[in-house]
Amino acid sequence: MKFAITTEKVKESRISQLDPNNIGFGKVFTDHMFLADYENGEWINPRIVPYGPMSLSPATSAIHYGQAIFEGMKVFASSKNDHDIVMFRPTDNAKRLNKSAARLAMPEVPEDLFMAGLTQLLELDRQWVPRVEGGALYVRPYMFATDDFIGVKPSERYCFAIFCCPVGPYYNKALRVKVEEEYSRAAPGGVGFTKCAGNYAAAMYPTALAQKEGFDQVLWTDPIEHKFVEETGTTNFFAVLNDKIVTPSLTHTMLAGITRDSVVQSLRHLGHEVEERPLSVNELKEHLSAGNLKELFITGTAATLINLDGFGHDGQYYEVQKNGDNTISTEVKKFLDDIKLQHSDDVFSWNVVI
Ligand code: COI
């Protein structure tokens, strides 16, 4: 399918307002955004317009009944060629968006529409991709229901949009996480595996409680027994047990992180043993007291890969950071960064260069 995307450019770029050494995360947006509408069973009017407010009916169904899904991906400045920018695994984001869409009774976005909108937007705003260490362009593709209608049924109209923000690191230090045993992020048969807005809303209250106790994030446990770790509020989770790496196997209540998958594949490529299996809080505690728990780290598009300082459970804090020197997480982070920045060969063909 071919999509004719119209473009309305900004009169003047805002890029001179960007301080590349003080970017922050999620506060600055590039000059343009991509929009497409879904009506009468088809995607129409794909367009690139200046980034700015959208006009919505107060009855917009996404606001009331929650048909709202999104993705997060990153684009990097190539170290090989000053003009080139590198999208990391963009078609995996398109595929995951469509998995979320199916579960929330929303239409799929054809992969070629996703890629055409993304590529043309990035071509226009490529000068916004930061060329500073740790910087990237964070891209937010999303879809929401636009019917103005009161009543619970799938919307007939939707908006698919993409905007971008230059970002620095999401986290700047090793995190302290609280093992969450009272609240659940998701339930079996629910929408935990999707990237829907409501999953993040449901996490905010327990996260705020954990932050009041001095933690940075919650570490979700399984919703049935609260025994097995699943993921944090913003990332997937890994533990290094001696020289073996364990990450919770994906369940219906967990988000299948693209960074998680990249880390698993990279670790195996580097010759490490990776187990994807249930991992209980008790097992983590036993390994820690036996001196086998060498590193804990978390992975996500925004967070990239960051170590955990330790975890709180049952009123006690278990410090992990002091146990090891984070050799494995440092190795795999560098391996992935080198691919994204084109310092090394893209052995998995993950990059799409434009
Ligand atoms: C991402 O990692 O892309 C997310 O959507 C999570 C959020 C912390 C920004």
Side-chain angles (χ1 to χ4, degrees):
M1 210 184 293
K2 274 267 169 289
F3 295 94
I5 300 175
T6 61
T7 300
E8 180 196 338
K9 287 191 190 173
V10 288
K11 292 200 173 58
E12 200 183 336
S13 172
R14 285 178 283 103
I15 191 138
S16 60
Q17 296 166 16
L18 178 69
D19 174 359
N21 297 309
N22 189 18
I23 306 178
F25 198 105
K27 293 184 186 154
V28 183
F29 305 96
T30 69
D31 287 326
H32 300 94
M33 61 186 183
F34 171 79
L35 299 173
D37 304 314
Y38 184 84
E39 277 179 34
N40 300 317
E42 58 176 345
W43 287 102
I44 56 165
N45 196 15
R47 59 203 184 276
I48 291 174
V49 293
Y51 177 87
M54 296 168 167
S55 161
L56 295 175
S57 157
T60 297
S61 117
I63 302 170
H64 304 271
Y65 307 112
Q67 281 184 299
I69 57 175
F70 69 97
E71 280 298 314
M73 57 165 280
K74 272 185 178 161
V75 177
F76 301 89
S78 166
S79 64
K80 269 214 243 162
N81 182 334
D82 271 359
H83 185 71
D84 285 353
I85 56 173
V86 182
M87 299 189 262
F88 187 67
R89 305 188 69 173
T91 53
D92 291 297
N93 289 98
K95 289 185 173 71
R96 193 173 60 181
L97 183 82
N98 284 334
K99 275 193 190 151
S100 300
R103 176 62 181 84
L104 275 89
M106 299 166 82
E108 289 200 350
V109 176
E111 204 167 297
D112 49 2
L113 174 64
F114 183 104
M115 287 306 291
L118 177 64
T119 308
Q120 290 192 34
L121 178 63
L122 289 171
E123 273 166 357
L124 206 54
D125 282 354
R126 67 164 69 233
Q127 78 276 18
W128 286 84
V129 181
R131 288 194 173 266
V132 291
E133 206 191 321
L137 191 73
Y138 184 85
V139 179
R140 173 51 59 85
Y142 62 112
M143 194 212 306
F144 61 97
T146 53
D147 271 3
D148 45 343
F149 174 77
I150 296 300
V152 182
K153 69 166 187 64
S155 178
E156 284 168 19
R157 288 171 293 159
Y158 296 85
C159 172
F160 170 58
I162 309 176
F163 64 76
C164 313
C165 17
V167 295
Y170 192 78
Y171 296 119
N172 287 306
K173 62 169 181 75
L175 304 191
R176 298 160 57 89
V177 295
K178 176 188 170 184
V179 175
E180 181 56 64
E181 293 181 302
E182 183 180 352
Y183 298 98
S184 299
R185 175 185 170 274
V191 294
F193 69 95
T194 73
K195 208 160 166 65
C196 72
N199 284 340
Y200 293 81
M204 286 182 195
Y205 179 67
T207 307
L209 293 180
Q211 286 169 348
K212 265 195 197 150
E213 291 175 49
F215 295 99
D216 300 295
Q217 260 300 335
V218 286
L219 177 54
W220 295 110
T221 51
D222 71 278
I224 308 292
E225 298 177 281
H226 291 297
K227 273 191 187 157
F228 297 95
V229 295
E230 294 207 324
E231 62 186 70
T232 77
T234 51
T235 64
N236 292 111
F237 176 88
F238 288 78
V240 180
L241 306 177
N242 286 325
D243 51 7
K244 192 189 299 168
I245 300 102
V246 181
T247 190
S249 34
L250 292 173
T251 66
H252 206 72
T253 52
M254 290 167 59
L255 186 76
I258 293 166
T259 312
R260 174 192 179 280
D261 179 69
S262 308
V263 167
V264 168
Q265 290 197 56
S266 300
L267 284 167
R268 288 183 176 144
H269 176 85
L270 290 166
H272 295 291
E273 192 182 338
V274 184
E275 286 181 0
E276 297 177 73
R277 62 166 172 82
L279 176 61
S280 71
V281 182
N282 278 344
E283 183 182 345
L284 282 176
K285 283 165 49 172
E286 280 163 20
H287 280 297
L288 182 64
S289 62
N292 304 331
L293 179 50
K294 304 296 185 197
E295 305 172 39
L296 287 181
F297 64 94
I298 56 175
T299 63
T301 300
T304 63
L305 185 158
I306 191 121
N307 289 98
L308 295 185
D309 176 77
F311 59 93
H313 182 238
D314 251 351
Q316 269 208 45
Y317 189 66
Y318 297 87
E319 193 184 344
V320 173
Q321 189 86 312
K322 65 172 192 274
N323 242 25
D325 52 9
N326 296 330
T327 319
I328 291 181
S329 42
T330 307
E331 181 191 10
V332 71
K333 182 173 186 323
K334 179 169 173 2
F335 178 82
L336 273 169
D337 285 348
D338 282 350
I339 290 179
K340 294 170 185 171
L341 300 174
Q342 295 198 298
H343 286 306
S344 64
D345 281 353
D346 178 15
V347 284
F348 299 103
S349 302
W350 282 331
N351 291 339
V352 179
V353 182
I354 51 174

